[in-house]
Amino acid sequence: MKKSDDVISKKAGLPPGALVHVGKRKTEHVKITVIDYDRDHFEQRELASVEECKPYSESASVSWINVDGLHDIPTIEAIGNQFSLHPLLLEDVLNTRHRPKTEEFEEYMFVVLKMLGVSEDRATVVSEQVSFVLGPKFLISFQEEEGDIFDDFRKRLSSGQAQARGLGSDYLLYRLIDTVVDNYFVVVEHISDDVLQLEEVVLDNPDQHVLQGIQLAKKKLIQARKSIGPLREAISILEKDGGKLIAKKTTRHLRDVYEHVIQVNENIENQRDMVSTLMDLYMSGMSNKMNQVMKVLTIISTIFIPMTFIAGIYGMNFENMPELHWQNGYFYSLAAMLVILIGMLFYFKHKDWL
Amino acid sequence: MKKSDDVISKKAGLPPGALVHVGKRKTEHVKITVIDYDRDHFEQRELASVEECKPYSESASVSWINVDGLHDIPTIEAIGNQFSLHPLLLEDVLNTRHRPKTEEFEEYMFVVLKMLGVSEDRATVVSEQVSFVLGPKFLISFQEEEGDIFDDFRKRLSSGQAQARGLGSDYLLYRLIDTVVDNYFVVVEHISDDVLQLEEVVLDNPDQHVLQGIQLAKKKLIQARKSIGPLREAISILEKDGGKLIAKKTTRHLRDVYEHVIQVNENIENQRDMVSTLMDLYMSGMSNKMNQVMKVLTIISTIFIPMTFIAGIYGMNFENMPELHWQNGYFYSLAAMLVILIGMLFYFKHKDWL
Amino acid sequence: MKKSDDVISKKAGLPPGALVHVGKRKTEHVKITVIDYDRDHFEQRELASVEECKPYSESASVSWINVDGLHDIPTIEAIGNQFSLHPLLLEDVLNTRHRPKTEEFEEYMFVVLKMLGVSEDRATVVSEQVSFVLGPKFLISFQEEEGDIFDDFRKRLSSGQAQARGLGSDYLLYRLIDTVVDNYFVVVEHISDDVLQLEEVVLDNPDQHVLQGIQLAKKKLIQARKSIGPLREAISILEKDGGKLIAKKTTRHLRDVYEHVIQVNENIENQRDMVSTLMDLYMSGMSNKMNQVMKVLTIISTIFIPMTFIAGIYGMNFENMPELHWQNGYFYSLAAMLVILIGMLFYFKHKDWL
Amino acid sequence: MKKSDDVISKKAGLPPGALVHVGKRKTEHVKITVIDYDRDHFEQRELASVEECKPYSESASVSWINVDGLHDIPTIEAIGNQFSLHPLLLEDVLNTRHRPKTEEFEEYMFVVLKMLGVSEDRATVVSEQVSFVLGPKFLISFQEEEGDIFDDFRKRLSSGQAQARGLGSDYLLYRLIDTVVDNYFVVVEHISDDVLQLEEVVLDNPDQHVLQGIQLAKKKLIQARKSIGPLREAISILEKDGGKLIAKKTTRHLRDVYEHVIQVNENIENQRDMVSTLMDLYMSGMSNKMNQVMKVLTIISTIFIPMTFIAGIYGMNFENMPELHWQNGYFYSLAAMLVILIGMLFYFKHKDWL
Amino acid sequence: MKKSDDVISKKAGLPPGALVHVGKRKTEHVKITVIDYDRDHFEQRELASVEECKPYSESASVSWINVDGLHDIPTIEAIGNQFSLHPLLLEDVLNTRHRPKTEEFEEYMFVVLKMLGVSEDRATVVSEQVSFVLGPKFLISFQEEEGDIFDDFRKRLSSGQAQARGLGSDYLLYRLIDTVVDNYFVVVEHISDDVLQLEEVVLDNPDQHVLQGIQLAKKKLIQARKSIGPLREAISILEKDGGKLIAKKTTRHLRDVYEHVIQVNENIENQRDMVSTLMDLYMSGMSNKMNQVMKVLTIISTIFIPMTFIAGIYGMNFENMPELHWQNGYFYSLAAMLVILIGMLFYFKHKDWL
């Protein structure tokens, strides 16, 4: 987190319109692919240069231009020129720390959102920024690296099964957003599994290790909330201000996605509740353990200290100690100790300490 | 919870309109029953096929078509076709993890809500999703399994006592929602009984066991809130946007249900307050217990350690120890110990430790 | 609380309009009294039957019909018929667990609120539901039992002093609500007295007993908030939607009551702040006490354990222990112990433990 | 606090318009002074009777009528008659527990606010209620006792320096409110000084004494918030609904005051954050101290207990104990003890306890 | 903080329009510089007197008049006269404790905001107030001391690279605000670095030192939030009510800044979450440590106390103690002790204490 945060401050002091890539370089080459389709035909190609986009975007069929890799600024600028995109929009595409949002421009809509995943060591939520530019007959998507969560959808498109084949670029946008949002459930379920496991451990045998687990879960939830929270408003804007770019029919679908985002957010809040509960459970588990330790110490000490005291008395070297000369003095003293032992045990039994 | 959560992610990556049953298969067969009534006649039948619904729904009398069991997707699809329901609506019917909502379609209203119950071991709140499609002269209800909370109402309907006999499908919808909401009070009272019992135990004799009880109560409240919370908005939409489907008179009844939902939500919030209070009480009960343990240890130790020290002194083997040769040395030493004992007891009395 | 909660679930499964009395039967007989007055005349009578109400309510003078006791359903129904009250309204009158609200009907306004008191053992806040039906020339009030907080006002009315004599039923309603709200201040002051007392005890000498006091105060505040909180909205509706039933002049008075309700609510919130502070104080008081106990134990132990060790050494029975044969060996050893004692005392002094 | 709260319940059961003085009698005599000024003349007089006000209020110059002392109800009533003030307004003037508010009447505006100060023992925030009635050419102010925070302004007025001389009664009102609000900063700074001092003590050496300081600071902040919080809305109403009584130019000045009130409220919230932080710091300071105590006990015990055990072994009186007869047995045993001592010290060093 | 807070109360009791410098005098001389530019020319000069401003502000080119140092009130007043600024505006410029805001005047817009930095000892967030007066062709900026965060922008301006050269004073204002806001990210990242470091320490080895670090981080976040929080509304007002002074094109840029402010605020809130989590971690780390200490004490005590007791028994001096005369009595007793030792070790192993 530290490193990535440092990166965002790279922009401090730069003029707007100065294109800077904020984020890690996640891919070697920038790869531009175009998928052009309508009900009857389907074409998928990797483009060698930005200029090849143009004819696709002007055709009557729907063109989905996908850009993987954001570090090559001249390429991004070339795309901006081709489609006359606003410089601030390009800046936001390149700034991979941007919060999700929808912005309306005269000729197109601009949507930024986050694809979430869980890192391999299950320790962090990783997010990849995806931006969409929706035009009347085209959709440009920018990803930080070659993704795979859209692959299933690509296959359906090419096989001609997908409903999308007969519909516009707005429906394509909806399908991609829907795919991203469906994936949020997977991530949140992953976290909630962790939380359930932590809960079992906390109730069973809390230790310092669990504490780190709780802290990790808390961080993952903060990361997820940060990425998903603002999407609610973004989709609501898309739904309401979609204007001429988004068909009425697609609006109902967006409403559906909107509900899913609300539901994911509720799940995150519930998990946060759970996690803060875990912290309480951990604390009380700790003080329970301490109580156990203290009881053992107390039981042993309060039994043996008085008995040792008796032994101490008859270990004194006074000349005149009558008991020492009794025939059964020793055994009487042992008996006294036994009485103390049994008395104490009864006392602890009574106190429910045993 | 883990298992069920896994299920919702089954949908990730699937296209909209792909019907998937999300949830446990709770019943063997899908059972379709129709109740057709007006002021003068009443008919209740189990249908063999979906096609038989049609004539009922077109008659002038009110038809209540109830579907128990959601796992058989072709049947659900067939119903969808019969009544030309939107594919997204069917998707929501099948996704039993959906949050409560009301959605307006051109020809009908769609309502999703949760029936709540308490599991037999009193450990979780179980919820069953119920969806309603309200048309001008019919009401379709989808349940996960054959329910019984509507049985009383069915009997009243058949006996002709119910006011509903003279009224439309909107009133029928209101009555069913009302039944579900009334049942929420039972569930929340159940939880609040548990909380009261926990409170007694916590104030009396807190132990690790209680902690799990508190955690359970917290979870049950989160589950209940999750199911009931969004209903507030859903009923409000029904009341306000009911349009031509919902008679003015029924609107007032819905207002009444709306108030009940608010009241249940308030009860849940109050119980949550109570539960978080219990956690505090538990923690302070624990530290009270620890205090008791420490006091016992301290009293015993501080009494016997000094006395044992005196015994230790006169157990030393120095040649020249005048006290050892005194006639009453032994008794003097015992007296000294007694003084320490009494002094300490006074001290603890003074400190209110005894 | 448990018993009363059980009662509300009696309604689950019943049809709307089925009149059920929810609550305790607090009075033997249902008593109906009417007070009929205008500027010039005043009449107060207890009625034998519901039918006698009618003439009063139709006269030009203001009629205040008061019903004490709600368990006799036929009587309530008869009143409903006389004044053609909506069945849902009667249901709300009988359900004494209803939250405060104002509802507008075509011919009358309906107001539900709670009269609060403190139980004799000062352990709970007791609430009695009062409902009002305001018509153009009459006011019907329903109470669970014969109240007395309205008695002062009745006397003023009969003596002719009260301003109300020259004004309408809306002003009468305002005066009764005002009386109830003024009484809230008494209840909240009562609780705040308890909180102040608890605070003194907590700062002075916290014990397990105080904990129950804090818990009680918390519960009383939750009960009060539950009863008073929703009144804010109810009075606001009365003020704004009073329509033709409430004179402009009375509206200003209602505004005044509204402000009082806000003020009571603020007081309750402040008391809740205070109480949660008390819990913190209690916890830190406990850990302070524990600290004291631990210090005593530590001081005694760390002083005597080393001294006892020295005694132990010279209690060993080795043949060759030169110190034992020194003339002043014994006194040297005592001196060593004294040095330890003084050293330890200085150390504790330095650590501020003494 | 207890006593004053009791006082407010004096009003319970009284009719509206019944004038009762709620609050402490803070001054001996009611004193009425009038300041009458315009750009060219200035007159300041103490009035013998209420009737003398009239001519001033009707003159074209601005008249500021100030009433010190509220316990003399006939005087207040007389003023009410002179200026035909609404009875509810007079009631609010006399009820010194009223929350700040602005109320619009047909001929005048009514403003209630609180002057805050700190009691001499720095233990409480004391508040004095000030009410203003703003008419077209006059301003009446009611204070509980002769104040002095307005004295500076009076001097400026009389010397002719003040801008106010050329402006209307609305500007006068603004100046007085501004004076009161500026004074809030002093009070909050006073509290924040206390909080800073407490913080130092808590981080340095927390004790039970600090706890009371934290509790006091918390209470003072609650008192301040209670008095200042509602003023925000009151001034906003004054600014927006000032209508014909408040000149456009004064509105901008009120906007300025409004911002100050927001800033004071923010300061109070920040201080509350700080104070709740202090409680946490105190608790962790306490558990730190306990840790220290426990460490001392543990170090001493774990060093000496094993050594004492060795001494105990060779203090046994078995006939056949070969070590006792060794020439250097005693010195070997001392060496063993030394090894234990050094070993333990290393262990504690390693554990970072020393 | 104490000192600076004291300063703001200097204003209490003063009339509005009385110009007082609230804040520290951070610079020796007041320095006025003007930068005058359009697409073709660029001029930068330090002015000797306020009067020299006038011609610049009236020219068709954009004039940026920058004032460093606020303590010299006559100079500020002279500027006020030159540009006929409202007295309240000048007051706000001089009061360096003002919260960020935008205020609309007839001829100009007034913006107050805070430049943030971190003090050299990393212990506090220092803030410097910057105010802007935006006129049709000029921008006046007031700073407390000669800043340097605008230097980069000045260089770009002079070199002719900057887009700003062809645009109006509104764009200049946007660029300066943008520079300030970009710098907030640097400050918040700085704090979040501290928090990350604290987290590592807390999880690793919490001590009293960390507590002060947490407290410091908390304070820095409160300071940052106080300075940045209100800016959100201020920029929103600028964007919406910019009227004729702010070109449509600049509005979109302001929208961009607005989003950045929201993002910084979210970061601050997330950091606050993190910090309050750290406090919990610290507390549980402490109780973990205590647990460790207690375990060591308990293990040592419970092993040696019983063994010492056995030694004590055979140290008694009774005449008749048969075991003392057994040939192997000594060795048997040692064996008994060994059994206790091993038994205890197994017990602690079983309890997972070792």
Side-chain angles (χ1 to χ4, degrees), chain A residues 5 8-9 97 99 101 103-104 208 215 219 225 272 286 294 314 316-317 324-325 327 330, chain E residues 174 189 199 252 259 263 266 270 273-274 277 284 288 290 294 305 316-317 319-320 323:
Chain A
D5 274 2
I8 201 171
S9 55
R97 307 279 164 244
R99 38 191 319 264
K101 70 160 177 176
E103 207 174 349
E104 213 186 334
Q208 185 75 0
Q215 179 69 351
K219 277 183 159 181
R225 187 184 54 165
R272 278 167 61 91
M286 290 307 287
M294 291 308 303
Y314 296 109
M316 291 196 293
N317 298 322
L324 295 183
H325 308 294
Q327 178 62 19
Y330 174 50
Chain E
Y174 148 67
E189 278 165 23
E199 192 193 340
R252 186 174 288 282
E259 276 165 18
Q263 194 166 1
E266 281 181 1
N270 285 341
D273 263 28
M274 280 327 232
T277 287
S284 60
N288 222 38
M290 179 101 79
M294 292 307 304
I305 286 179
M316 291 196 291
N317 297 322
E319 272 177 10
N320 178 16
E323 299 96 321

Side-chain angles (χ1 to χ4, degrees), chain C residues 174-175 189 199 252 259 263 266 270 273-274 277 284 288 290 294 298 305 317 319-320 323, chain D residues 5 8-9 97 99 101 103-104 208 215 219 225 286 294 314-317 324-325 327 330:
Chain C
Y174 148 67
R175 280 305 314 277
E189 278 165 25
E199 192 192 341
R252 186 174 290 283
E259 276 164 18
Q263 195 166 0
E266 281 181 1
N270 286 340
D273 263 29
M274 281 326 232
T277 287
S284 60
N288 222 36
M290 177 100 80
M294 292 306 305
T298 303
I305 287 179
N317 298 320
E319 272 177 12
N320 178 16
E323 299 95 320
Chain D
D5 274 2
I8 200 172
S9 54
R97 308 280 164 241
R99 47 196 306 270
K101 70 160 177 177
E103 207 174 348
E104 214 185 334
Q208 185 75 359
Q215 180 68 350
K219 278 183 158 180
R225 188 186 52 165
M286 290 306 288
M294 292 307 305
Y314 296 110
M316 293 196 290
N317 298 320
L324 296 182
H325 308 293
Q327 179 60 21
Y330 173 51

Side-chain angles (χ1 to χ4, degrees), chain C residues 146-295:
Chain C
E146 285 186 58
D148 49 3
I149 73 168
F150 295 152
D151 281 356
D152 278 353
F153 177 60
R154 273 193 204 97
K155 271 186 214 133
R156 298 181 63 82
L157 258 190
S158 71
S159 72
Q161 293 171 345
Q163 245 189 310
R165 282 285 285 273
L167 297 164
S169 55
D170 56 335
Y171 187 82
L172 175 61
L173 173 64
Y174 148 67
R175 280 305 314 277
L176 297 182
I177 295 178
D178 191 44
T179 306
V180 169
V181 170
D182 277 358
N183 200 46
Y184 291 165
F185 285 98
V186 183
V187 170
V188 174
E189 278 165 25
H190 168 94
I191 300 175
S192 85
D193 284 359
D194 285 3
V195 171
L196 275 175
Q197 249 176 330
L198 282 170
E199 192 192 341
E200 268 171 50
V201 180
V202 162
L203 283 172
D204 194 46
N205 183 21
D207 59 11
Q208 186 75 0
H209 215 65
V210 162
L211 205 59
Q212 299 193 17
I214 294 173
Q215 180 68 351
L216 260 181
K218 217 176 244 171
K219 278 182 159 182
K220 283 191 278 186
L221 287 168
I222 288 179
Q223 288 165 343
R225 187 185 53 164
K226 198 175 157 184
S227 298
I228 301 176
L231 192 56
R232 184 177 164 160
E233 204 198 334
I235 290 182
S236 168
I237 289 174
L238 201 59
E239 191 195 331
K240 277 173 202 137
D241 301 343
K244 57 182 193 294
L245 284 171
I246 295 184
K248 185 113 194 274
K249 199 179 154 175
T250 309
T251 305
R252 186 174 290 283
H253 283 101
L254 285 172
R255 178 87 209 155
D256 202 56
V257 176
Y258 178 74
E259 276 164 18
H260 290 167
V261 172
I262 289 178
Q263 195 166 0
V264 173
N265 275 323
E266 281 181 1
N267 290 358
I268 290 176
E269 284 316 305
N270 286 340
Q271 290 306 320
R272 280 166 60 90
D273 263 29
M274 281 326 232
V275 169
S276 81
T277 287
L278 286 188
M279 196 71 207
D280 285 354
L281 285 180
Y282 174 80
M283 288 299 278
S284 60
M286 289 306 288
S287 85
N288 222 36
K289 269 186 156 180
M290 177 100 80
N291 244 335
Q292 292 308 321
V293 172
M294 292 306 305
K295 270 186 196 168

